[in-house]
Amino acid sequence: MKILKFGGTSVGSAKNMKHVKEIVLSQDTAIIVVVSALHGITDRILVAAHSASIGTSHFHDDLHFIKAKHYDLLEELFQENSSIKSIVDELLNELEQILNGIALVRELTLKTLDRIEGIGERISSQIVAQYIGEKRIDMSELIRTDSNFGNATVDFETTNSNIKKAFTNFSGVAVVPGFISKNEKGEYTTIGRGGSDYTAAIISAALDVEILEIWTDVNGFMTADPSIIRKAYTIPELSYSEAMELSHFGAKVIYPPTILPVYQKGIPILIKNITNPDLPGTIISKESRNGSDRIIKGVSSISGITLITLQGLGMVGVTGISMRLFTALAKENVNVILISQASSENSISVAIDENNLSRAFESIRQEFKNELIDGRISQVNTENDLAIVAIVGEGMKRTTGIAGKLFSTIGKNGVNIIAIAQGASELNISWVVKKDELRKTLNVVHESFFLSENVELNVFLMGIGTVGGNLLQQLGMQQQKLIDEKHLKIKLVGVANSRKMVFDRDGITIQNFKEILDKSNEESSLQGFVSRIKAMNIYNSVFVDCTASKDIVTIYKEILQANVSIVAANKIAASSDFHTYQELKKIAKKRGVKFLFETNVGAGLPIINTLNDLIDSGDKILKIEAVLSGTLNYIFNVISAEITLSETIKLAKEKGYSEPDPRIDLSGIDVARKILILARESGYQIEMDDVKINRFLPDSLFEGSLADFWESIPAFDHKFENERQRLLAENKKWRFVAKFENGSAEVGLQEVDSKHPFYDIEGSNNMVIYSTERYREFPMLIKGYGAGAEVTAAGVFADLIKVSKL
């Protein structure tokens, strides 16, 4: 024998009713079908009753809605002369008469409410029985309860006896209403919201059925709320305990008390989707068999929470405080969802539904009024607009490091945890966060515990010029490969140029980003960009600066403080005043995010990363020698008898090696910034003014307009050609060298002979030589292509990969 329970959505439309009929009639064993009211009907009856009790005429509108919904379904399912119409009429007339009576006396008792609340189930069960052509049995005559109207307690001894007697030698199909019951006087009672699930479980346990199937409008228990976590998927199997915990913390798949009767008998529950009956659903049993590969089965949440905290040194060592607190709440029928108590006993916090705050607060203050007066309890605090999040899984038992990983990951994403609770069973860990942090929290947790197949990195990009454009091109080419091989999904969620900006939480298609950006109506602004980053509040976010703007650096601090990592191709921040550099590094460390700028020196070469590894492993930098300007190296490699200095500079500009104004490169300032960054990363406090710049061209060339420069530079061609011939005769070459030693830094043109490592540097390549305590006799050398948008973009890409491993 099986029990099949169909929810309000399952029986609320003709289409779904056809599914119900097919499912029921396809069974090859005895079936009892438990039916809920049509979707939304019970709530509408409650609204109508309360409207009637305060003397408003609005209940007539509610009654009209209730009638229309049932009659519309009847019209779709049956011919006009069907006998079911008169049965439904009779029940709806009963509802109307009771509502009129409530309006007349302006009083609504729980007893009256119980009588009308179950009318929806009484009607729907009649409709289903008639439609599938099977008999109906009135479960209210079988389920016996006490007279606690509104939430009656089942008398299981009498109920089980009644059910067994009614279904002795039962075969075929029977349709029964859920939710309703009667007391020993024959008066209608109800067994709590979600009671149709409970009805099905009670019948299942009484008859020792093989399985309880609950047909609803979802595919089963999900790893998270799919309306928030789009990557949530169906959990194949759960234990009774796991299902109970997920239900308690907001997974609205089944009514929590449902589990107890079937749990006691070891009867499995199968959750199925009425609109997708071929999907496997979720099976709930004594032990879930797929727990080994998933320590955490799911993450659930409850919004609309208020936290009440009782605090005071007078609570320490005093027995009975907790008992009095919970008694005060129980008097007001306030359910405690979560409890968190300090081990010092000087505070205890309880999380409740925010709708119960006023009653709970006053009851607590009344209970502890003497302690509040004499100061033993200093205050009763409330905090609103909160949410509870819980992770659930029996795999957490005796598994070390779960809580550490959980709270570390949440903290790194900038979510503040207000209260924490974990039972000794180790079945769940629950905590309280601000409601506006709920989406981020759920995403972080879902991903960090491998409930998501891929790690997501959400990118906000400023600057889509040569470097930014190349970066997006490389991301577009590698996007699918990263997903397939690394399970890393890099998602562009915000992008801006100097005119416009556009944002999309779900991701901006990289291949079409220019078109999307052009169509945007949002004007680009620094503060506007930061505000959108903070407002979107997306987990695992990184801001990428592919500009050379001084202004953009001013927003770095605010971005890091929002727990968003930064990857900068822009070298202004790392080479600004030492206080700013140090502050940004400290904020990143404190917030648990990354501030990476590998491409500031050597484009895509691992120069800064290698330096950091040396320092982190305990080595000390003694000396740095480097050729760090791909532009200048290109110029001094290309200059020849056929190509003069001025022509070489023009070639560097045409090939994109130099800045649009090549004087930036020729001045040595760019190289000075780079050696400054390396010195700072080596652990030295040094400012830009401390770097000595030895220019190889007179200062007059760096004054005036760019046109003046191009007009004046040919005058130096002859001088440089004479010097070049001398170097050629001496087998030497020019290299623009940056040097840091004994706390001093300088940059300038240097002559090197054929024995020097810098001699053979080709094209626009860079080279860095690190002399350290470990690499003193044979210094470490890093050499490679150190200029150009493509390699710089590749370096930014590599930094993004590092951020994803945070």
Side-chain angles (χ1 to χ4, degrees), residues 727 730-733 751-760:
L727 291 177
E730 296 174 4
N731 198 23
K732 292 181 180 179
K733 291 181 180 180
E751 298 174 5
V752 297
D753 59 28
S754 59
K755 296 180 181 179
H756 198 287
F758 292 160
Y759 185 85
D760 291 320

Side-chain angles (χ1 to χ4, degrees), residues 41-64 66 95 98-100 102-103 108 113 116:
I41 290 297
T42 303
D43 288 337
R44 206 60 180 255
I45 290 174
L46 284 172
V47 172
H50 285 290
S51 295
S53 70
I54 60 175
T56 69
S57 60
H58 295 306
F59 77 89
H60 291 295
D61 297 332
D62 297 311
L63 185 61
H64 175 76
I66 293 165
L95 173 62
I98 296 172
L99 289 173
N100 284 328
I102 294 169
L108 178 60
L113 198 58
I116 62 174

